Amino acid sequence: GIANVRFLQGDWYDALPPEMHVDVIVSNPPYVATEDPHLQQGDVRFEPQQALVSGKDGLDAIRHLIPTGKDYLFPGGWLMLEHGYDQGEQVRALFVEHGYKEVQQRQDLGGHVRLSMGRV
């Protein structure tokens, strides 16, 4: 039942014309803290740092996406973000702080909150 789907790729919201509004924005932004020991383990060692690391606490990208997402969402639209297993409460607080409604979270198969979303 979904119609009019369009995928755009860009640096945060740069791919969207300023006048464009959408119903849903989904992002898997970088969310790893700069000093996270996991960055030195396994296959993650070979990933580009800019795809993983987002500041001292891992939330710099999310702090950008949440307030600016409202500029591109239709009323009632959703912003959905993946984040680290231990960042759920902080991300929830950012959604609430920026006036999102119906803030919800979902767990991964391991029982960790890994997806947070809010509606404008």
Side-chain angles (χ1 to χ4, degrees), residues 41-112:
Q41 301 170 1
D43 292 343
V44 173
R45 295 174 295 162
F46 308 108
E47 295 291 330
Q49 292 289 299
Q50 69 187 38
L52 303 171
V53 177
S54 188
K56 186 175 176 100
D57 64 357
L59 294 171
D60 286 358
I62 291 172
R63 281 192 197 93
H64 171 74
L65 291 168
I66 290 176
T68 53
K70 295 171 80 173
D71 295 336
Y72 296 97
L73 288 165
F74 284 120
W78 287 93
L79 174 61
M80 302 176 178
L81 302 172
E82 182 180 354
H83 52 74
Y85 73 96
D86 59 351
Q87 296 171 327
E89 286 307 312
Q90 294 164 293
V91 175
R92 178 187 251 306
L94 287 167
F95 271 106
V96 170
E97 175 185 335
H98 290 284
Y100 284 80
K101 304 173 213 151
E102 298 179 47
V103 176
Q104 301 176 26
Q105 296 182 304
R106 298 288 187 271
Q107 296 178 345
D108 63 12
L109 295 176
H112 299 102

Side-chain angles (χ1 to χ4, degrees), residues 5-49:
V5 174
R6 189 169 157 201
F7 292 93
L8 301 171
Q9 181 179 345
D11 187 11
W12 304 136
Y13 300 113
D14 290 347
L16 300 176
E19 70 282 354
M20 183 177 201
H21 287 79
V22 297
D23 294 308
V24 178
I25 297 170
V26 179
S27 180
N28 179 8
Y31 54 75
V32 179
T34 307
E35 301 297 322
D36 190 308
H38 294 98
L39 292 171
Q40 306 307 317
Q41 301 170 1
D43 292 343
V44 173
R45 295 174 295 162
F46 308 108
E47 295 291 330
Q49 292 289 299

